[in-house]
Amino acid sequence: MPQDMQAPSYSEQEQIRRDKLAALREAGHDPYLLTKCDVTHKSAQVIADFDALEGQDVSLAGRMMSRRIMGKATFAHLLDSEGEIQFYIRRDDVGDESYAAFKAMDIGDLIYLKGMVFKTKTGEVSVHVKELTLLAKCLKPLPEKFHGLTDTDLRYRQRYLDMVVNPEVRAAFRKRSQIITAIRSFLESRGFLEVETPVLHTQAGGAAARPFITHHNTLDIDMYLRIALELHLKRLIVGGFDRVYEIGRVFRNEGMDPMHNPEFTMLELYQAYTDFHGMMDITEDMFRFVARQVNGTAIVQYGDVTLDLEKPFARMSMVDAVKTYAGVDFDAINTLEEARKVADEHHIAYEQRHQKGDILNLFFEEYAEEKLVQPTFLYGHPVEISPLAKKNPANPAYTERFEVFMLGHEMGNAFSELNDPIDQRARFEAQARLKAQGDEEACGVDEDFLNALEIGMPPTGGLGVGIDRLVMLLTNSQSIRDVLLFPTMKPID
């Protein structure tokens, strides 16, 4: 062993388990040499179909999670991907050698068993074992009460262990999969085509966010992990697909908190020949459909708040929200100087680069955002914070954009998409100036996207929804880390 490497140290229990493995190998019973086993049933299936399976032989595989040895017989529980089931093993049925080998196994070991389905005197569906085989040795003892650990980060760092000992965690991630399946079903029923677009971009765009930067050695250029799906999907609208969507990972080099992770899953969809009102209809219908599909109801309980997704979502402009919750009427503010003055009076911090629309948004974030608890479409965003949305023809200072809010958090963002290439170039150039002044969230000028708009993009509505926040909502999860299988964590070392 190299001098700079130390031999690993094991706890007493870990060493005992390793010694058992060494003894098995020495006796020619290395469990890791087994490559397959014939599993006929899952635990939940045996329990659900007991009437049909009673007295029949089944075979299952999974992890031994408990054991009660009573001399020549043992009751134990097997955990597989669908739940737990009790099994019963007797020395007289399997023989002295096999029973001794079983007694030498440990909680957490992966096993394969064959046996007959029966029900105990207490009414518990069980399997009477005729044959049992060790498939893999668990070399670390499982925690007895995982939720009692003081290091809560361990659940996220070792998600595999979290899932072994916490059935509710596995249930949450099953529901996540069901949510995504329901979204796909909903969109496909509406004629949307699922597509895949590049993760590596030469120009970061489609959202206001700081990107992760990497380098492509062969081309010798910097590239960006995508911060949004938008600009490539709108290229496909130009190309002739009227309805497209993508569910994919996006990456933003920003802060972490219970609602934010540096990489997360986004749904974006685009439909030609509609606008942000059409996107409101799709958003409301989709949230309601998905909730019904996965929870059986669109009445959602989140903590101590009951959200009613069955009712039509409320609608409120950003100006009205600020007027209602901050008492400031931005319709009566005509100049940047007036906006700065009222911001100073309300102790709203702003930067020199901020325009009137930016300050309106700062007021909304400070006073109104957390008040939007029940499903609400917030519309009428200032043009300064909406570089990809069409202007409102009746009031060009604002755009045809909405965000859907629940529980005081944004759950989705939608526009009547800007399809005027001249206006789009002007807004890109304004963003580029902000970027040059140090705004790390501003985008640059995407010449290829502008070229696509010059080819011609029809009137289009677009929507983006954070999948992780939707999963949090429908699983009553308080942190985004609870709905990400492997959330971003700072290394321990």
Side-chain angles (χ1 to χ4, degrees):
M1 179 180 295
Q3 292 183 352
D4 60 344
M5 294 182 65
Q6 294 183 348
S9 60
Y10 304 113
S11 69
E12 180 181 1
Q13 286 297 317
E14 288 174 333
Q15 189 60 55
I16 289 172
R17 291 177 180 234
R18 288 174 179 270
D19 291 343
K20 288 181 180 180
L21 175 60
L24 285 169
R25 285 173 161 165
E26 187 175 349
H29 301 303
D30 188 341
Y32 300 114
L33 295 180
L34 297 173
T35 57
K36 62 180 294 186
C37 52
D38 181 23
V39 176
T40 63
H41 294 78
K42 295 291 187 179
S43 59
Q45 181 185 0
V46 174
I47 294 170
D49 297 342
F50 171 75
D51 290 342
L53 292 174
E54 184 179 13
Q56 303 296 313
D57 283 349
V58 297
S59 60
L60 303 97
R63 195 180 296 274
M64 184 166 62
M65 296 300 292
S66 68
R67 181 170 57 181
R68 190 170 74 255
I69 299 175
M70 300 174 294
K72 300 178 182 180
T74 297
F75 280 100
H77 280 88
L78 175 92
L79 172 71
D80 63 16
S81 61
E82 295 189 1
E84 281 193 359
I85 189 168
Q86 180 172 265
F87 65 91
Y88 173 66
I89 181 170
R90 290 194 313 176
R91 186 185 68 180
D92 293 347
D93 295 323
V94 299
D96 292 344
E97 184 178 347
S98 293
Y99 190 65
F102 167 74
K103 289 175 65 178
M105 295 178 191
D106 293 297
I107 299 301
D109 285 355
L110 288 157
I111 59 176
Y112 171 70
L113 60 84
K114 293 181 180 179
M116 182 187 70
V117 178
F118 77 107
K119 189 175 284 187
T120 64
K121 293 179 180 179
T122 60
E124 184 170 355
V125 176
S126 307
V127 177
H128 190 141
V129 174
K130 298 178 180 179
E131 177 184 332
L132 189 144
T133 305
L134 177 64
L135 298 177
K137 190 73 184 158
C138 179
L139 298 178
K140 292 181 179 291
L142 299 181
E144 293 181 4
K145 294 183 179 180
F146 202 68
H147 282 301
L149 292 177
T150 56
D151 183 6
T152 55
D153 278 359
L154 187 60
R155 290 186 54 236
Y156 305 131
R157 293 184 185 279
Q158 298 184 18
R159 180 68 80 189
Y160 42 88
L161 185 59
D162 187 24
M163 295 173 71
V164 166
V165 298
N166 286 325
E168 68 274 13
V169 174
R170 295 193 306 276
F173 286 106
R174 282 188 179 278
K175 185 170 284 189
R176 180 187 175 102
S177 179
Q178 293 166 0
I179 289 167
I180 293 173
T181 297
I183 290 171
R184 286 192 167 105
S185 175
F186 173 84
L187 292 175
E188 287 165 9
S189 74
R190 300 289 183 103
F192 282 84
L193 177 70
E194 184 173 13
V195 298
E196 294 176 300
T197 61
V199 172
L200 288 174
H201 291 182
T202 56
Q203 176 77 46
R210 185 165 68 175
F212 286 93
I213 305 174
T214 186
H215 188 79
H216 192 292
N217 291 333
T218 299
L219 296 179
D220 194 23
I221 58 170
D222 284 344
M223 300 191 77
Y224 304 87
L225 295 182
R226 64 186 179 188
I227 59 175
L229 313 175
E230 180 166 342
L231 299 184
H232 281 86
L233 291 176
K234 288 201 283 193
R235 285 169 168 90
L236 299 181
I237 297 291
V238 172
F241 287 129
D242 286 350
R243 301 183 184 208
V244 295
Y245 78 96
E246 182 173 5
I247 298 173
R249 267 306 211 243
V250 296
F251 308 85
R252 298 182 181 179
N253 197 354
E254 298 173 344
M256 298 168 60
D257 60 35
M259 298 298 292
H260 296 90
N261 193 70
E263 59 174 306
F264 57 98
T265 303
M266 178 73 76
L267 160 70
E268 291 199 30
L269 62 91
Y270 294 85
Q271 178 179 339
Y273 312 111
T274 190
D275 61 5
F276 79 127
H277 294 292
M279 290 299 104
M280 285 185 183
D281 294 338
I282 284 181
T283 302
E284 191 168 333
D285 290 346
M286 182 173 66
F287 273 69
R288 189 173 296 127
F289 174 85
V290 172
R292 288 172 177 169
Q293 285 292 109
V294 301
N295 286 346
T297 176
I299 307 298
V300 178
Q301 191 67 38
Y302 188 86
D304 58 0
V305 177
T306 301
L307 295 180
D308 190 349
L309 306 188
E310 296 287 359
K311 293 181 180 178
F313 292 9
R315 304 188 181 202
M316 176 180 283
S317 73
M318 184 178 285
V319 168
D320 285 344
V322 170
K323 186 176 180 180
T324 299
Y325 296 112
V328 176
D329 184 2
F330 267 76
D331 281 341
I333 295 174
N334 299 310
T335 67
L336 176 58
E337 288 71 23
E338 290 173 352
R340 287 176 172 174
K341 182 174 183 294
V342 74
D344 292 337
E345 292 170 352
H346 286 77
H347 307 290
I348 298 291
Y350 58 86
E351 300 176 22
Q352 282 300 114
R353 63 183 175 83
H354 283 152
Q355 301 299 306
K356 173 188 169 184
D358 297 297
I359 295 173
L360 167 61
N361 186 55
L362 292 173
F363 266 90
F364 168 75
E365 291 176 347
E366 178 67 24
Y367 285 97
E369 185 170 3
E370 66 180 12
K371 305 294 197 308
L372 304 184
V373 176
Q374 291 297 323
T376 302
F377 289 124
L378 181 89
Y379 64 90
H381 293 62
V383 69
E384 292 92 338
I385 63 169
S386 310
L388 297 165
K390 274 191 175 183
K391 294 176 181 176
N392 182 341
N395 190 346
Y398 299 95
T399 60
E400 293 191 345
R401 173 186 175 187
F402 74 80
E403 292 173 288
V404 57
F405 280 86
M406 299 181 195
L407 301 164
H409 297 292
E410 179 221 329
M411 301 292 290
N413 187 23
F415 313 147
S416 295
E417 301 295 335
L418 179 59
N419 62 341
D420 178 346
I422 297 172
D423 188 357
Q424 184 65 82
R425 178 176 290 278
R427 295 202 217 176
F428 273 162
E429 290 174 349
Q431 287 284 303
R433 287 192 292 272
L434 292 175
K435 188 175 183 179
Q437 295 169 13
D439 185 351
E440 295 179 324
E441 294 188 349
C443 65
V445 179
D446 189 330
E447 292 290 350
D448 184 74
F449 179 68
L450 290 171
N451 186 67
L453 289 187
E454 290 174 359
I455 298 297
M457 186 175 82
T460 297
L463 167 68
V465 172
I467 295 292
D468 309 299
R469 291 188 181 182
L470 178 57
V471 176
M472 288 175 63
L473 175 70
L474 296 181
T475 59
N476 195 14
S477 299
Q478 305 303 309
S479 170
I480 193 171
R481 293 183 175 189
D482 292 329
V483 300
L484 294 172
L485 281 169
F486 301 103
T488 303
M489 304 291 291
K490 184 178 181 179
I492 294 176
D493 295 336

